Amino acid sequence: MFPAETYIRRREELAQKVGSGIILFLGNDLSPINYDANTYPFRQDSSFLYYSGIREPANFLVMDLDEGETTLYGYEQSMDDIVWEGERAPLKVQAEMAGIPSVQDIEFGAGFLLSESMNDRTIHVLPAYQEKHLHFLSAFFSCDIKDLGAVYSHRLIEAVVAQRSKKEQQEIEEIKKAIYISDKMHREAIAFSKDGRKEQEIVAQMQRICGENGVGMAYGSIFTQRGEILHNNLHNGVLADGSLVLNDSGAESPFHYASDITRTFPVNGSFSDKQKDIYSIVLEAQNAVIDSIRPGIAYIDLHLKASEIIASGLTELGIMKGDPKEAVKEGAHALFFPHGLGHMLGLDVHDMEGLGEDFVGYADGQERSEQFGLNHLRLARELEEGFVLTVEPGIYFIPKLIDGWKSTGAWNDFINFELLEEYRDFGGIRLEDNVLVTADGAENLSEAIPKLPEEIEALIGTA
Ligand code: GLY
Ligand code: MN
Ligand code: MN
């Protein structure tokens, strides 16, 4: 974890922003797979981590802003726990490392929170997602789980989002560590690519690299020749000559910061002309966006910029027609680019998405578009120095979507459906990098990961 001063400062800033009441951060608990003692890999809640750095399960943190008291609630190990799990630092020591002055037993804490003395206090909580927390909050607020949305504290959400959005230098260093491991994963994946090799063998190589570095993956790898399936989590294909592989994989850092990187490459070592044409458009869109990133620019404008480059490129190839600007205005490009340009990155791969996408990616009063494609834009707001975000344009050929659009007859002014038939089995190309917004521009933190067609071609099959 970071030094105690980091967590003390973050909590002081938070207390100032929220002002009054009680802030309750629920740390995650272990979750059984098939019986109590066999649990899913444990991952602490990101906001709990941000304000305490504590990775142990079954804790919660209470900041009583009215009394100026901060307490860590948890449990001390029983002798049985020590015998089976080994000894861990006592609660008091964990609290000291996070600069938290007092500790209490978690059962006592739960009783205290559920007691009548809390009835007239304002309690600020973040949206919950673990089943256990949903039940606890339902009892605490005396409401159905489905109605909990109404009790989450907007004041707390906004304060947390404001803090977590602006990355400190030590957080940027963590993200760089995650990217460094991802760099190795992506190089290995490209080098191992060979006709006849199973997708899952290559995913296993990437998992090995994470394991050897003592970290986990930031999310389940998307490693597939069916790149047009945006979040395809199946790795059941066998690499075949002529196809493209889309590899969207990222490691966590030792302190649980994410990286989120996508590269697309041809199995057999060289891009066909058709593949290179589409790849070049995606690369051009991505470069143009990264070159334009600076504080004050709205990410939705960069999404539209990328969309226009994609529409222009596809028009040059004859797949789209008409005026590219007009096509983007009408949303025609979304047949090929149906997702958003990117999202915040930090302790979560879609950073803070659990707190509510609109709180994170949209400014006060900024409405989310309802247009297909644009409606999936997670980040639309003006950028600020210290944000870390992904830039991930793509072009996909989704047969069902193409058929659906064709059948309406409404898109004939913008889409050449006849030529499009030749791309039906193309798959998809996405390029994704992780970018820091600096005082006067941007730094591509993942620039070192091979991306130019010739760099990629030189690496394929070399393992
Ligand atoms: N890895 C998921 C995404 O790019 O958003
Ligand atoms: Mn992403
Ligand atoms: Mn990704």
Side-chain angles (χ1 to χ4, degrees), residues 21 36 41 102 121 152 156 167 184 205 236 407:
D36 265 358
S102 69
R121 306 291 305 273
Y152 297 135
L156 179 60
K167 269 54 183 187
K184 291 192 198 177
Q205 293 292 345
N236 53 4
S407 70

Side-chain angles (χ1 to χ4, degrees), residues 15-182:
Q16 286 224 325
K17 281 180 195 290
V18 175
S20 60
I22 293 180
I23 298 175
L24 169 62
F25 287 115
L26 298 168
N28 279 342
D29 202 352
L30 295 165
S31 188
I33 300 174
N34 47 352
Y35 54 90
D36 265 358
N38 190 27
T39 57
Y40 287 103
F42 179 72
R43 169 57 154 80
Q44 186 55 280
D45 173 74
S46 296
S47 291
F48 189 86
L49 266 183
Y50 185 82
Y51 291 103
S52 76
I54 295 171
R55 302 186 217 194
E56 300 292 343
N59 289 308
F60 60 83
L61 178 66
V62 172
M63 294 171 62
D64 186 334
L65 306 182
D66 305 323
E67 301 295 330
E69 285 168 3
T70 299
T71 307
L72 176 69
Y73 291 86
Y75 71 95
E76 300 292 359
Q77 288 175 295
S78 66
M79 189 54 77
D80 255 8
D81 292 337
I82 293 171
V83 169
W84 288 92
E85 300 161 9
E87 196 171 359
R88 65 171 199 213
L91 204 54
K92 194 164 173 332
V93 174
Q94 293 180 47
E96 272 166 13
M97 289 172 74
I100 298 170
S102 69
V103 297
Q104 276 286 1
D105 177 71
I106 198 160
E107 296 301 331
F108 172 85
F112 157 73
L113 283 169
L114 292 169
S115 73
E116 284 183 3
S117 64
M118 288 295 107
N119 285 356
D120 56 351
R121 306 291 305 273
T122 304
I123 310 284
H124 301 282
V125 272
L126 297 175
Y129 50 92
Q130 273 210 330
E131 204 61 23
K132 185 176 167 182
H133 294 161
L134 293 170
H135 286 285
F136 175 75
L137 293 177
S138 154
F140 181 76
F141 288 108
S142 307
C143 70
D144 267 14
I145 287 177
K146 67 174 170 34
D147 298 326
L148 279 173
V151 304
Y152 297 135
S153 166
H154 286 198
R155 188 143 38 114
L156 179 60
I157 293 171
E158 283 165 4
V160 170
V161 167
Q163 278 186 286
R164 284 183 55 190
S165 294
K166 295 253 216 178
K167 269 54 183 187
E168 302 158 1
Q169 192 54 42
Q170 59 189 352
E171 296 183 282
I172 295 164
E173 295 308 319
E174 279 295 306
I175 293 173
K176 284 183 180 170
K177 286 180 201 164
I179 291 171
Y180 180 73
I181 300 167
S182 304

Side-chain angles (χ1 to χ4, degrees), residues 248 260 342-343 349-350 390 392 432:
D248 183 343
D260 183 7
H343 50 84
V349 61
H350 291 174
T390 66
E392 48 179 308
E432 179 172 24

Side-chain angles (χ1 to χ4, degrees), residues 367-386:
E367 290 286 312
R368 185 185 281 257
S369 167
E370 289 181 359
Q371 189 183 74
F372 176 73
L374 213 46
N375 58 352
H376 290 306
L377 184 58
R378 293 188 163 96
L379 179 61
R381 55 170 296 188
E382 279 187 10
L383 303 181
E384 292 180 27
E385 182 182 355

